[in-house]
Every structure is written in structure tokens, then in C-alpha cells.
Amino acid sequence: MSKRSSEREQLSLFRALPGADMALRDAQDLMAYPFFSLAKSPRTVPIRFEAGGVSLTVEGVPEHGIATIWDADVLIWAASQIVQAKKEGIAPSRLMVATPYEILRFAQRGTGRSDYLALRAALDRLQSTTVATTLRQRERTNGAVRLHRFSWINEWKEYIRSDGRADGIELILADWFFSGVMDEALVLTLDPTYFRLSGGIERWLYRLVRKHGGRQPAGWRFEMRHLHLKSGSLQRRPDFALQVRQLVRRQALPGYRLSIERSGGMEWLAFRPMPGEPFHRDLSTVSVEEPVDDVGTGSVDRPHHSRWITRRTIGGSPAPIGREAAPGNGFGAP
């Protein structure tokens, strides 16, 4: 018996719930670290990140490239399904089945042939992308570091009708991802308009801001060099910073006010939730962040050893936002 056959046989099949009015949920770990390519063109250069005692390496194959921030919409759909099932007293499973139409509509995509082909390509990238990380791995008693290796989707298959159209998609989620979503403390709700964000940096920045901004009324900020590091982007830092400034000018992120601050020759992106919006009265399934001090960083960025880039030079800190700015939409190509 093959390993994959035995895995499938041990899992119950979870049929996707109707998703028309389902809240968008995302895993905090995926929001806080550079797990995805931000470019629509195929990326095969590995993403490598190490900070705060956490390391990760993301690699893709030349045929498909690394899974993109748009491919992550499938994981947002899956996380939303898992959390909703738990709320309704239904046991979710890593083995999920849905129609392409259901997934595409949830992600606010079209449902034509090109959209289906793009979904198929996204599933291929999610399966062929490999991640190796120490995140959420307990240290062993001898001090050794445990590295967890996985792909976002262990396997997937489609059911084809006699006319050649897809009738259903079945997939098995990575246990690392599934277990994180099953822990409601590691899940956040996204703004319903998230899928309208079209740019890679725009989508990544919203998720990072959403993760760190949360219920911090005084706001939060990141030094631009550290922000570039956390993105995993292949762009030159000046080009990356220019795009961030453009997003600030447009006030492009739903639910947050952005501003640029400069001091001591350093440039910071600062942000805070916009008050009074209905979405921000119920931001997540549980409280968002641990308490922070006046110079510290968020829980995922707390330094642990000397290899961490010191908070005093590069990093994020909760900080009041001075000047307020006035407020201002796919899967990658198959």
C-alpha cells in the first residue's frame, strides 16, 4: 500500500460548505512570513528568511515556479471552510472536495475556461512548492532545531465530465497548514474586499498590516529595510520602497490608515486601524496580538538570539501615527 493511498484512506472526506456569505479567514503564520512569490511571472529563485528564531526556505520547480500570493487564495478558501465548519459543529478534514465554480466564486474570480485553467495552475504550484521551516516546531531536549518540510497541497485530483469540463476538485491539505487553522488563536478574519487587491505587494502588505495592526489603537510601524526583508521580494529595495509609498498615497489597504515617517535617516511605514468601521469591531476569531511594550515588536518578531537584526536598527514597533492621510482589485497566469 502506498503512503498516499494510506493517507487518503485515513482521512474523512469533507464536502465544502456553501461559501456565498462566508467570512474570509487566513492563517496568521502565512500573513507574517514570506511564504509566497509576489510576482505573477514564474519565480524559481528560493525565498529564504531567518529572524526571531524562525527560519524558512520556500522552493519551486522550474515547470511551475513558487506558489504566488494569488495562489494563496485557495488556502484562504480552505481556512474559511475549516473555521466555518467548526462554527457549525461539522468536523473538517484535510481531505476536501468542491467544484471549481465554488472556489472561483469564493475568490471573486470569473468562471470561464481561462479562470479554470488558472485555478488548475495554482493547484499545481501549491503542490509542487516545498516549504522547510522551524515555525511552530518545538525545540528538542538536546537543543537541536526541528525543521518541518511540506507542500501546501499533498495531492489533488479533478473529476472530468464527458464534455471535458471539470465536475469537482479533491485535494489534501498539508498537516502543518491544517493544524494551524484548527487552532483558532492562529486565524484572523480578512476584510471582505481583500480579493479586490490586485498587486502582489499590495496583497502581501495588507496581510502583514492586518496581522500586526489588529487591535493596536496606537498603531504599528515597520522600518522600510525590515519591511523589504519580510516581503521576500526580488525587487531592489528602492523600487520596493517606491511601491510602498505609492500604496500610502492611494491609501490602498482596506480598514487601515497608512503613513510614511522619517527620523534619523530611517524611513518607516506606520499604520493603524480606521476607527468606527464595522469590520474592525470584529477583526478575528480571538484577540489578535499579545501586549507589546513601547519599543518592542509583535509576537512573531520577538528577537531570540544574536542573529536577529536588532530592534534599534531594523524592525517594527508600536508607534502613534502622526499625520493622518485621507482614505483613497488574480490567480497568476496558467
Side-chain angles (χ1 to χ4, degrees), residues 6 52 148 205 212 221 226 264 286 324 333:
S6 62
H148 193 134
L205 187 59
H212 289 277
R221 68 179 187 173
H226 185 55
V286 293
E324 290 194 5

Side-chain angles (χ1 to χ4, degrees), residues 19-202:
D21 300 319
M22 189 176 295
L24 277 61
R25 270 91 176 200
D26 202 355
Q28 291 197 44
D29 292 336
L30 275 61
M31 302 164 75
Y33 295 99
F35 282 107
F36 302 101
S37 168
L38 306 184
K40 290 187 176 180
S41 56
R43 171 174 175 168
T44 56
V45 177
I47 300 171
R48 304 188 192 279
F49 179 85
E50 183 172 353
V54 170
S55 69
L56 68 88
T57 300
V58 184
E59 298 175 297
V61 298
E63 182 181 359
H64 301 297
I66 291 174
T68 72
I69 195 80
W70 299 275
D71 301 337
D73 289 0
V74 176
L75 300 179
I76 293 175
W77 166 81
S80 305
Q81 287 283 332
I82 293 165
V83 174
Q84 187 64 32
K86 291 180 65 180
K87 288 171 66 72
E88 297 184 16
I90 301 171
S93 171
R94 292 167 50 216
L95 176 58
M96 304 179 68
V97 63
T99 65
Y101 178 88
E102 291 171 319
I103 300 174
L104 290 167
R105 293 305 294 163
F106 177 85
Q108 301 178 22
R109 310 283 180 178
T111 57
R113 176 173 172 77
S114 62
D115 303 292
Y116 164 69
L117 292 176
L119 174 58
R120 177 192 284 178
L123 293 168
D124 281 340
R125 283 188 292 270
L126 289 166
Q127 183 185 7
S128 61
T129 296
T130 59
V131 179
T133 184
T134 60
L135 190 61
R136 299 203 329 258
Q137 303 303 301
R138 294 181 180 177
E139 288 188 7
R140 304 181 67 175
T141 54
N142 62 359
V145 176
R146 178 183 295 174
L147 199 64
H148 193 134
R149 296 183 180 273
F150 61 91
S151 295
W152 298 112
I153 294 176
N154 288 7
E155 61 176 275
W156 72 279
K157 65 181 180 180
E158 56 187 338
Y159 302 96
I160 307 296
R161 299 192 313 219
S162 57
D163 62 1
R165 296 179 62 87
D167 195 38
I169 289 175
E170 186 178 297
L171 57 86
I172 299 178
L173 297 168
D175 180 66
W176 184 93
F177 172 77
F178 183 78
S179 61
V181 175
M182 288 292 286
D183 183 348
E184 292 190 3
L186 300 178
V187 177
L188 293 179
T189 302
L190 302 183
D191 190 285
T193 63
Y194 168 77
F195 291 132
R196 300 179 193 172
L197 302 177
S198 58
I201 290 180
E202 186 178 19

Side-chain angles (χ1 to χ4, degrees), residues 198-228:
S198 58
I201 290 180
E202 186 178 19
R203 281 177 162 234
W204 163 79
L205 187 59
Y206 169 77
R207 297 168 85 197
L208 186 73
V209 166
R210 173 69 189 90
K211 166 66 183 79
H212 289 277
R215 300 184 190 277
Q216 305 286 346
W220 195 267
R221 68 179 187 173
F222 278 107
E223 200 276 331
M224 193 67 73
R225 288 174 294 173
H226 185 55
L227 201 64
H228 181 246

Side-chain angles (χ1 to χ4, degrees), residues 224-239:
M224 193 67 73
R225 288 174 294 173
H226 185 55
L227 201 64
H228 181 246
L229 175 69
K230 285 183 71 69
S231 75
S233 173
L234 291 177
Q235 281 191 317
R236 296 186 314 123
R237 194 172 73 223
D239 296 332

